[in-house]
Coordinates of all heavy atoms in Angstrom, one line a residue:
M460 N 5.5 -41.4 57.5 CA 5.8 -40.6 58.7 C 4.6 -39.6 59.0 O 4.1 -39.0 58.1 CB 7.1 -39.8 58.5 CG 7.5 -38.9 59.7 SD 9.0 -38.1 59.4 CE 8.8 -36.7 60.3
Y466 N 4.7 -33.4 67.9 CA 4.0 -32.4 68.7 C 3.1 -33.1 69.8 O 2.8 -34.3 69.6 CB 3.0 -31.6 67.8 CG 3.7 -30.7 66.8 CD1 3.3 -30.7 65.5 CD2 4.8 -29.9 67.2 CE1 4.0 -29.9 64.5 CE2 5.4 -29.1 66.2 CZ 5.0 -29.1 64.9 OH 5.6 -28.3 64.0
V468 N -0.3 -31.9 72.6 CA -1.2 -30.9 73.2 C -1.4 -31.2 74.6 O -1.7 -32.4 74.9 CB -2.5 -30.8 72.4 CG1 -3.6 -30.0 73.1 CG2 -2.3 -30.3 71.0
W469 N -1.3 -30.3 75.5 CA -1.5 -30.5 76.9 C -2.9 -30.3 77.3 O -3.6 -29.4 76.9 CB -0.6 -29.6 77.7 CG 0.9 -29.9 77.6 CD1 1.5 -30.8 76.8 CD2 1.9 -29.4 78.4 NE1 2.8 -30.8 77.0 CE2 3.1 -29.9 78.0 CE3 2.0 -28.4 79.4 CZ2 4.3 -29.6 78.5 CZ3 3.2 -28.1 80.0 CH2 4.4 -28.7 79.5
I484 N -8.9 -36.6 93.4 CA -8.6 -37.9 92.9 C -9.6 -38.4 91.8 O -9.2 -38.9 90.8 CB -8.5 -38.9 94.1 CG1 -7.3 -38.6 94.9 CG2 -8.4 -40.4 93.5 CD1 -7.3 -39.4 96.3
M493 N -10.9 -39.1 80.0 CA -11.2 -38.2 78.9 C -10.0 -38.2 77.9 O -10.2 -38.3 76.7 CB -11.5 -36.8 79.5 CG -11.9 -35.8 78.4 SD -13.6 -36.1 77.9 CE -14.5 -35.5 79.3
L503 N -7.7 -37.7 66.2 CA -6.8 -36.6 66.5 C -5.4 -36.7 65.9 O -4.8 -37.8 66.1 CB -6.7 -36.3 68.0 CG -8.0 -36.2 68.7 CD1 -7.8 -35.9 70.2 CD2 -8.9 -35.1 68.1
P504 N -4.9 -35.7 65.2 CA -3.6 -35.9 64.6 C -2.4 -35.7 65.6 O -1.3 -36.1 65.3 CB -3.5 -34.7 63.6 CG -4.5 -33.7 64.1 CD -5.5 -34.5 64.8
S515 N -5.1 -24.0 92.0 CA -4.7 -22.7 92.5 C -4.1 -21.8 91.4 O -3.7 -22.4 90.4 CB -3.7 -22.8 93.6 OG -2.4 -23.2 93.1
V519 N -1.9 -23.1 88.0 CA -2.3 -22.7 86.7 C -1.1 -22.0 86.0 O -0.7 -22.4 84.9 CB -3.5 -21.7 86.6 CG1 -3.7 -21.2 85.2 CG2 -4.7 -22.4 87.2
A521 N 2.1 -22.1 86.7 CA 3.2 -23.0 86.5 C 3.0 -23.9 85.3 O 3.9 -24.2 84.5 CB 3.4 -23.9 87.8
K531 N 7.7 -29.3 72.4 CA 6.7 -30.3 71.8 C 5.3 -29.8 72.0 O 4.4 -30.2 71.2 CB 6.9 -31.6 72.5 CG 8.2 -32.4 72.2 CD 8.3 -33.7 72.9 CE 7.4 -34.7 72.2 NZ 7.5 -36.1 72.7
C532 N 5.0 -29.0 73.0 CA 3.7 -28.6 73.3 C 3.3 -27.5 72.3 O 3.9 -26.4 72.3 CB 3.6 -28.1 74.7 SG 2.0 -27.4 75.1
I533 N 2.2 -27.7 71.5 CA 1.8 -26.7 70.6 C 0.5 -26.0 71.0 O 0.0 -25.1 70.3 CB 1.6 -27.3 69.2 CG1 0.6 -28.4 69.2 CG2 3.0 -27.8 68.6 CD1 0.1 -28.9 67.8
W538 N -10.1 -27.7 80.7 CA -11.5 -28.3 81.1 C -11.7 -28.0 82.5 O -10.9 -28.4 83.4 CB -11.5 -29.8 80.8 CG -12.7 -30.5 81.2 CD1 -14.0 -30.0 81.0 CD2 -12.9 -31.8 81.7 NE1 -14.9 -31.0 81.4 CE2 -14.2 -32.1 81.9 CE3 -12.0 -32.8 82.1 CZ2 -14.7 -33.3 82.4 CZ3 -12.4 -34.0 82.6 CH2 -13.8 -34.2 82.8
F542 N -16.7 -26.7 89.8 CA -16.8 -25.3 89.9 C -15.5 -24.8 90.2 O -14.9 -25.1 91.3 CB -17.8 -24.9 91.0 CG -18.1 -23.4 91.1 CD1 -18.9 -22.8 90.1 CD2 -17.5 -22.7 92.0 CE1 -19.1 -21.4 90.2 CE2 -17.7 -21.3 92.1 CZ -18.5 -20.7 91.2
P571 N -27.4 -38.6 85.7 CA -28.2 -39.6 86.4 C -29.3 -39.0 87.3 O -29.2 -38.9 88.5 CB -27.1 -40.3 87.3 CG -26.2 -39.2 87.5 CD -26.1 -38.4 86.3
M580 N -23.3 -33.6 92.5 CA -23.4 -32.2 92.0 C -22.1 -31.5 92.3 O -21.6 -30.7 91.5 CB -24.5 -31.5 92.7 CG -25.9 -31.9 92.2 SD -26.1 -31.7 90.4 CE -26.1 -29.9 90.4
S585 N -19.1 -28.9 85.8 CA -18.5 -28.4 84.6 C -19.3 -27.3 84.0 O -18.8 -26.3 83.5 CB -18.3 -29.5 83.5 OG -17.3 -30.4 84.0
E591 N -18.1 -19.9 83.8 CA -17.3 -18.9 84.5 C -16.0 -18.7 83.8 O -15.5 -17.6 83.6 CB -17.1 -19.3 86.0 CG -16.4 -18.2 86.8 CD -16.1 -18.7 88.2 OE1 -15.2 -19.4 88.4 OE2 -16.9 -18.3 89.1
V606 N -14.9 -25.7 72.3 CA -15.6 -26.9 71.8 C -16.6 -27.2 72.9 O -16.3 -27.5 74.0 CB -14.7 -28.1 71.5 CG1 -15.5 -29.3 71.2 CG2 -13.7 -27.7 70.4
A620 N -9.6 -31.8 66.4 CA -8.6 -32.2 65.4 C -8.3 -31.0 64.5 O -7.1 -30.7 64.2 CB -9.0 -33.4 64.5
M623 N -6.1 -28.6 66.4 CA -4.8 -29.1 66.5 C -3.9 -28.9 65.2 O -2.8 -28.5 65.3 CB -4.8 -30.7 66.7 CG -5.2 -31.0 68.1 SD -5.3 -32.8 68.2 CE -5.2 -33.0 70.0
A628 N 0.3 -25.6 62.7 CA 0.8 -24.6 61.7 C 1.3 -23.4 62.4 O 2.4 -22.8 62.1 CB -0.4 -24.2 60.8
W629 N 0.6 -23.0 63.5 CA 1.1 -21.8 64.3 C 2.5 -22.2 64.9 O 3.4 -21.3 64.8 CB 0.1 -21.5 65.5 CG 0.6 -20.5 66.4 CD1 0.5 -19.2 66.3 CD2 1.4 -20.7 67.6 NE1 1.1 -18.5 67.4 CE2 1.7 -19.5 68.2 CE3 1.9 -21.9 68.2 CZ2 2.4 -19.3 69.3 CZ3 2.6 -21.7 69.4 CH2 2.9 -20.5 69.9

Side-chain angles (χ1 to χ4, degrees):
M460 181 177 150
Y466 297 132
V468 167
W469 289 10
I484 291 168
M493 184 76 73
L503 306 183
S515 70
V519 172
K531 290 180 75 172
C532 176
I533 61 168
W538 177 38
F542 184 77
M580 291 298 297
S585 296
E591 183 183 82
V606 174
M623 286 176 160
W629 174 88

